[in-house]
Amino acid sequence: MCILFVYVADDSDTAGRYRLILASNRDEFYTRPALGAAPWKENPRIIGGRDMEPGREGGTWLAIGNHPEGRIKLGALLNVTGETKANVTNGRGPIVANFLSGSQSNREYSEQLLGQDNYGAFNLVSIELNTRKLEIGDAGGIAEQDRTTAPILHTSNAPHSIAECKVGEALGFGNSTLEKPLQKVCRGKERFAEIVAKQNVPFVDKDAFVGELMELLKSDVRYFPDPELTRRAGQHAEYLSSINVRMPNATYGSRTRTVILIDHQNQMEFVEETLIGTDPLNDQWKTTRIVREFC
């Protein structure tokens, strides 16, 4: 399981310091090999972690970049728990990688993805922004954007759907449908909205902002009972009902925490914390910080 919180500002509104705010946990088996966030060797314009599971090398769960120039593209992949799909012949790992490395808009890519669906059940959150630097009172940014794009799309193959999400408000995504969100997504989104409202202001202490978002991702509060999660995950539901997941046998849980901030001048701060080893109780984490200006 994974969880994702996102805020994208309306491009005509520059009152807040940041135009994109993201906080995400990747939940996975602790022993599954992966590379931490870094520019990709085959395309340094893209930044993200990589799956290194034999036979699935190069896939990713979350990445951001500006390929082609003039666009900021972000993709995040979440499995849909408890759903089985027929005719699954491809792994889901390339879904985000192909979006980031291609030239299609998020809507064009989503339509093609569902038209050729041979993947396991997934939710794809794709974000696409132009890189025009806006000034206070400048309302022309979105008008210049390619109309085939949408700032935020939620695409799923369980069931097939493409939904445009609202800008200017806190959003939460998890391992269920948009219509039946998990309780930890609902409660986490409320806390995320509070943090964004308090911290997305001019002259905010950036490190304090990142710190509050990381604390959200570390939350062990269990939002249980949750009928939808129980229906999907059965006996494991209670252990999966917190934002920060730690299974009792210590083989699976939240092993990567990511915060991304992008201001109105397209300066990005990408902060990732990755569990060292396979024991979530040892509290040893590696921090990676990447700064980039998109153009």
Side-chain angles (χ1 to χ4, degrees):
M1 303 193 83
C2 299
I3 197 165
L4 173 72
F5 303 107
V6 173
Y7 171 88
V8 174
D10 184 332
D11 264 351
S12 65
D13 178 12
T14 58
R17 179 173 177 180
Y18 296 102
R19 66 185 304 208
L20 183 145
I21 301 162
L22 176 147
S24 175
N25 271 350
R26 181 202 182 202
D27 300 340
E28 187 51 87
F29 291 101
Y30 297 127
T31 58
R32 183 163 179 161
L35 297 177
W40 292 1
K41 291 182 178 179
E42 72 273 26
N43 191 337
R45 301 181 73 88
I46 300 174
I47 296 168
R50 310 298 293 269
D51 187 6
M52 296 305 292
E53 180 80 1
R56 300 188 178 186
E57 297 92 341
T60 187
W61 55 95
L62 172 67
I64 187 170
N66 66 323
H67 173 86
E69 289 188 34
R71 297 182 188 176
I72 300 171
K73 298 169 72 175
L74 183 147
L77 186 71
L78 305 99
N79 296 345
V80 184
T81 301
E83 297 287 344
T84 57
K85 296 282 291 181
N87 303 317
V88 175
T89 58
N90 281 348
R92 290 166 286 207
I95 290 176
V96 169
N98 290 343
F99 170 57
L100 268 289
S101 60
S103 59
Q104 290 177 302
S105 70
N106 55 355
R107 187 174 297 279
E108 291 169 335
Y109 182 75
S110 294
E111 291 172 352
Q112 176 181 294
L113 194 62
L114 295 186
Q116 302 173 352
D117 178 23
N118 54 5
Y119 299 97
F122 70 81
N123 290 328
L124 169 67
V125 178
S126 58
I127 299 175
E128 192 157 357
L129 306 173
N130 64 50
T131 57
R132 179 168 176 251
K133 295 180 179 180
L134 302 177
E135 304 297 336
I136 299 297
D138 183 349
I142 196 67
E144 295 189 359
Q145 187 168 345
D146 183 345
R147 289 299 182 181
T148 66
T149 71
I152 316 169
L153 283 185
H154 178 280
T155 303
S156 182
N157 68 345
H160 279 208
S161 62
I162 300 175
E164 185 169 344
C165 303
K166 292 183 179 179
V167 297
E169 65 179 53
L171 303 172
F173 305 95
N175 302 100
S176 63
T177 63
L178 282 179
E179 293 74 22
K180 294 184 178 180
L182 304 181
Q183 286 301 305
K184 67 177 183 179
V185 174
C186 297
R187 303 288 81 79
K189 182 176 70 172
E190 293 172 358
R191 177 58 185 148
F192 178 71
E194 293 173 356
I195 296 170
V196 170
K198 180 178 72 172
Q199 297 282 12
N200 190 29
V201 295
F203 311 112
V204 68
D205 184 324
K206 181 168 54 180
D207 290 339
F209 193 0
V210 171
E212 282 208 52
L213 293 172
M214 286 294 183
E215 286 303 312
L216 168 65
L217 297 176
K218 296 175 186 178
S219 174
D220 291 320
V221 176
R222 291 180 178 176
Y223 299 100
F224 197 80
D226 181 342
E228 179 66 11
L229 182 57
T230 298
R231 183 180 75 83
R232 291 182 174 277
Q235 62 181 342
H236 301 298
E238 184 173 357
Y239 300 112
L240 298 170
S241 65
S242 54
I243 293 172
N244 181 48
V245 172
R246 284 190 282 195
M247 296 291 284
N249 57 5
T251 63
Y252 179 92
S254 301
R255 54 178 285 187
T256 305
R257 302 189 282 254
T258 304
V259 169
I260 299 175
L261 303 175
I262 301 178
D263 67 18
H264 289 279
Q265 299 302 307
N266 301 320
Q267 293 276 355
M268 180 192 71
E269 190 92 4
F270 187 123
V271 183
E272 179 182 276
E273 294 183 353
T274 305
L275 180 68
I276 298 175
T278 60
D279 182 3
L281 299 180
N282 69 12
D283 206 30
Q284 295 183 32
W285 295 74
K286 174 186 176 182
T287 300
T288 300
R289 187 179 297 263
I290 300 170
V291 177
R292 174 171 292 185
E293 179 178 357
F294 290 120
C295 59

